[in-house]
Amino acid sequence: MESKPRQRLSAEARQEQIVQVAVDLAGERGMQGVTTQDMADAMGLTQGAIFRHFPSKDAIWLAAMSWIRERLMGVLGAAAKEASDPLDALERMFHAHVSFIAKHPAIPRMVFSGQMLHDSPKLKALVQEIVSGYEDRLVALLREAREAGLARADLDEQSAAILFIGMIQGLVVQITIFGAKRSLLEEARKVFPVYLAGIKVERT
């Protein structure tokens, strides 16, 4: 029986494949531990084939970060659309973000890879842009909640937005330390009510 020839992918499909492989490898060994040869080996390609689609490894990580932003923002947007009010939107977004990380454990290691961000000003600028955009989205929801009388009148929306993202970072660190001893999703369910109690209006 004749073997079927390998299907040729479009340039766009091959680029996405390279990005996904890079993200998976970064999850296993960190961004600094991944070479373009590692990516090529994982895909059964040559390094030359990788560089036909991306001019440098830095360009691959920039594409990977953009890939993460597009998908995460899509997940958050879909979660918010199902909400009944701004605080419900915040809760749905929180759990959607945590679930996204649970499905893609490589992402925190990429977004918060200090040395890589230090070595690549372009990558650092992109991550700053992603986080700032996320914060702005949260601030808008928190302000809407305050104006609707759902959140405290003295709420500092910017600080509350930073704390929201910080909770997710903290949960990821906890799971990294304790591994299977703690569940990311379960810990998230415990943590968010504490946050919510700190920002919402107390009903008498």
Side-chain angles (χ1 to χ4, degrees):
M1 180 180 293
E2 295 184 5
S3 60
K4 294 182 179 180
R6 179 182 295 181
Q7 182 180 5
R8 291 182 61 84
L9 299 177
S10 67
E12 184 178 347
R14 181 65 78 188
Q15 288 172 350
E16 183 163 348
Q17 185 183 46
I18 292 170
V19 164
Q20 290 179 352
V21 167
V23 170
D24 290 341
L25 291 173
E28 297 172 3
R29 62 192 77 170
M31 292 172 69
Q32 286 183 293
V34 180
T35 67
T36 50
Q37 186 63 59
D38 293 330
M39 298 176 197
D41 290 344
M43 300 174 65
L45 301 175
T46 64
Q47 275 198 85
I50 298 291
F51 288 121
R52 277 198 293 274
H53 295 281
F54 292 98
S56 65
K57 188 169 74 168
D58 200 36
I60 296 173
W61 293 130
L62 285 168
M65 207 63 71
S66 295
W67 182 87
I68 290 169
R69 173 172 60 179
E70 179 182 342
R71 279 151 185 78
L72 176 58
M73 291 303 112
V75 165
L76 296 178
K81 283 183 179 179
E82 299 294 325
S84 57
D85 60 54
L87 292 184
D88 185 36
L90 287 170
E91 183 167 3
R92 288 174 182 270
M93 288 170 63
F94 180 81
H95 292 298
H97 191 161
V98 171
S99 296
F100 184 76
I101 290 174
K103 292 177 182 177
H104 304 282
I107 289 175
R109 297 190 67 177
M110 294 181 61
V111 175
F112 306 114
S113 176
Q115 189 59 46
M116 281 295 295
L117 298 184
H118 179 270
D119 294 343
S120 174
K122 289 183 178 179
L123 189 59
K124 182 176 182 179
L126 179 55
V127 172
Q128 288 176 338
E129 180 184 324
I130 294 170
V131 174
S132 295
Y134 194 174
E135 286 180 356
D136 290 345
R137 192 169 189 168
L138 294 171
V139 166
L141 277 172
L142 288 160
R143 182 176 298 118
E144 185 180 342
R146 178 174 55 78
E147 292 174 349
L150 299 172
R152 290 168 39 179
D154 62 346
L155 180 65
D156 181 337
E157 291 96 350
Q158 185 65 43
S159 295
I162 292 172
L163 181 58
F164 182 102
I165 297 174
M167 284 193 301
I168 297 173
Q169 291 174 296
L171 286 170
V172 170
V173 171
Q174 288 282 317
I175 299 307
T176 300
I177 294 171
F178 291 98
K181 292 182 178 179
R182 295 188 182 180
S183 163
L184 180 61
L185 300 178
E186 184 178 335
E187 295 301 319
R189 284 192 290 270
K190 296 176 183 177
V191 167
F192 192 81
V194 179
Y195 174 80
L196 190 61
I199 65 172
K200 69 178 183 179
V201 170
E202 293 185 10
R203 302 296 181 184
T204 56

